[in-house]
Each structure stands twice: as C-alpha cells, then as structure tokens.
C-alpha cells in the first residue's frame, strides 16, 4: 500500500474535474493499523485513513493510506529509546497473530534462530518448530482461554537445521472488543537445563561399585 502520511490531503492535488470522483471513492477513516516503518524494527499501531480504488477493469485493489496524526519529534525520540530496548533486549521476544503467524520478533530471537526478518516475519510459527505441532496447538488453546503459560519447553529448528531447546512464557494482548490481538511471548534457551538433566540421568544409571572385597 502507498503511504501518504507525510503529505497534505489527496484532494488538495486534484483538479476540480476529478474531485467529485475522488469523493465517491470508498474510504475507511481512523482505522487502527499495524505498521512497521524503516525507522524502527518494531510494529506500532497507528490510526490511518485508507482510500480504496480499483485499477481499471482488473481485480486489483489499490489502498492509499494517510496517518491521521503523525507523532511529534519528542514522542519519536522517546519511542525510539523504548524500541531499541525491546529489539536488543537480552531475551528473545515475539508477537504471534491469532492464526499463529509471526507479526514481529526482536533481533535477539533472529540471532538465536539464525533467520532474517524476511525469512521469519509473516510466516506460521509452526514452520520453525515442525516437530511440535500438537504442542503449539495446545498452547494456543490455553492462551485463547485467557490463561498465561510459563516455562513451556518447545523445540525450535534453526536455519541451519539444528534443534534448539527453548522455554516459552506467553499471554495474549486482547482488543477492546475481546478479540485476539496478538500474543506476547518471551523465549529463553533451555539447552543448559537439558544437558544437566541428561548428565544427572546418566549418573543414576552407572553401575554401583561392589562394597565386598574380592
């Protein structure tokens, strides 16, 4: 979609002969829109006015959006500081849609799994944990019931094919009307705990030395 957030009203550029046609074009005003700009790597909700039009006789629909109220320079500086914290935090974080698609993750998570934003954003989370489909469905069922999950172990597959043992904490950010907005997930590496458990289990299976002299 074309963004007109930094331009005057579209009608200001139209000749009088086209103004009536433009005013008859379907418009959606004040729509809360999830945007990801070039300035930051974090999705932010903004209100946009959207104009919908068709391209000739084709089935293609053109959406032109204009931000209703751009943020002030001071707000942008404060926002940038917060977004830098989230994107570079020492813990991996992501948002999932109600359909299980990745809306956003921070750079830490990309580093853990080895993917780029283009390879990760917009994809079903099940693409990255293909051995855990039943578990992922159960997690979404739990979250959709309004519950929070903590320390749930999930195996993720990295870009180079390795399996990473991760722990997930998550709950849901709900819309005002009670509908599913997105998850709020924090992910921690569980490899060290798994290694300790395996070593402990191995030590318990070692043969016990005889206490009787030969």
């Amino acid at each position: 979609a074309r963004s007109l957030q930094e331009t005057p009203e579209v009608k200001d550029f139209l000749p009088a002969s086209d103004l009536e046609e433009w005013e008859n074009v379907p418009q959606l005003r004040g729509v809360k829109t999830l945007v990801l700009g070039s300035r930051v790597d974090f999705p932010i909700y903004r209100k946009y006015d959207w104009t919908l039009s068709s391209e000739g006789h084709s089935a293609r629909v053109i959406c032109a959006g204009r931000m209703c109220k751009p943020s002030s320079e001071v707000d942008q500086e404060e926002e940038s500081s917060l977004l830098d914290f989230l994107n570079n935090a020492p813990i991996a974080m992501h948002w999932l849609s109600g359909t299980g698609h990745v809306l956003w993750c921070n750079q830490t998570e990309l580093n853990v799994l080895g993917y780029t934003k283009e390879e990760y954003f917009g994809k079903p989370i099940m693409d990255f944990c293909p051995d855990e489909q039943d578990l992922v469905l159960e997690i979404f069922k739990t979250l959709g019931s309004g519950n929070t999950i903590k320390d749930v172990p999930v195996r993720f597959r990295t870009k180079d094919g390795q399996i990473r043992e991760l722990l997930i904490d998550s709950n849901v950010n709900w819309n005002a009307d009670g509908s599913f907005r997105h998850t709020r997930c924090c992910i921690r590496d569980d490899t060290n705990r798994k290694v300790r458990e395996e070593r402990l289990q191995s030590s318990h299976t070692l043969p016990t030395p005889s206490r009787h002299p030969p």
Side-chain angles (χ1 to χ4, degrees):
R2 293 178 295 156
S3 176
L4 305 177
Q5 65 184 59
E6 296 181 355
T7 66
E9 291 286 349
V10 176
K11 63 182 180 181
D12 295 338
F13 298 98
L14 295 177
S17 58
D18 295 333
L19 183 58
E20 182 178 355
E21 181 180 350
W22 181 86
E23 290 178 341
N24 291 327
V25 172
Q27 297 181 48
L28 302 173
R29 296 193 175 276
V31 179
K32 185 180 290 184
T33 306
L34 188 64
V35 296
L36 183 64
S38 58
R39 184 176 57 84
V40 295
D41 295 321
F42 191 80
I44 302 171
Y45 284 96
R46 293 283 186 264
K47 285 190 176 182
Y48 273 70
D49 291 339
W50 290 98
T51 300
L52 308 179
S53 59
S54 61
E55 189 177 61
H57 298 289
S58 70
R60 183 179 300 175
V61 176
I62 300 175
C63 299
R66 182 177 186 275
M67 189 184 294
C68 298
K69 185 180 179 182
S71 301
S72 69
E73 188 172 332
V74 174
D75 291 340
Q76 290 180 0
E77 290 180 0
E78 294 177 351
E79 193 174 79
S80 294
S81 179
L82 174 61
L83 299 182
D84 175 74
F85 165 75
L86 293 172
N87 199 45
N88 298 295
I91 189 169
M93 294 181 282
H94 68 234
W95 289 3
L96 300 181
S97 69
T99 59
H101 288 72
V102 179
L103 295 176
W104 167 85
C105 79
N106 64 357
Q107 186 60 44
T108 307
E109 182 159 332
L110 293 175
N111 293 341
V112 168
L113 298 177
Y115 298 100
T116 64
K117 289 188 296 184
E118 292 74 18
E119 294 168 330
Y120 203 59
F121 286 20
K123 305 296 192 304
I125 195 64
M126 285 189 181
D127 287 359
F128 307 100
C129 43
D131 304 323
E132 302 279 32
Q133 293 193 11
D134 291 341
L135 176 58
V136 172
L137 290 174
E138 186 62 30
I139 288 174
F140 262 85
K141 182 178 178 180
T142 301
L143 294 175
S145 300
N147 297 304
T148 296
I149 63 170
K150 292 185 178 182
D151 296 332
V152 176
V154 179
R155 292 174 297 174
F156 276 72
R157 192 180 300 277
T158 65
K159 184 175 180 178
D160 60 7
Q162 297 184 44
I163 298 297
R164 296 293 299 267
E165 304 281 354
L166 303 175
L167 291 175
I168 293 182
D169 299 340
S170 184
N171 57 18
V172 174
N173 183 351
W174 303 94
N175 288 309
D177 61 3
S179 59
F180 195 107
R181 192 175 189 182
H182 60 74
T183 67
R184 295 177 289 217
C185 299
C186 293
I187 300 177
R188 290 168 286 119
D189 195 334
D190 196 31
T191 304
N192 291 336
R193 184 184 68 85
K194 297 288 289 186
V195 169
R196 288 195 300 268
E197 286 183 353
E198 291 173 0
R199 288 176 177 174
L200 183 61
Q201 185 176 5
S202 297
S203 67
H204 288 166
T205 59
L206 292 175
T208 303
S210 174
R211 297 183 180 181
H212 302 287

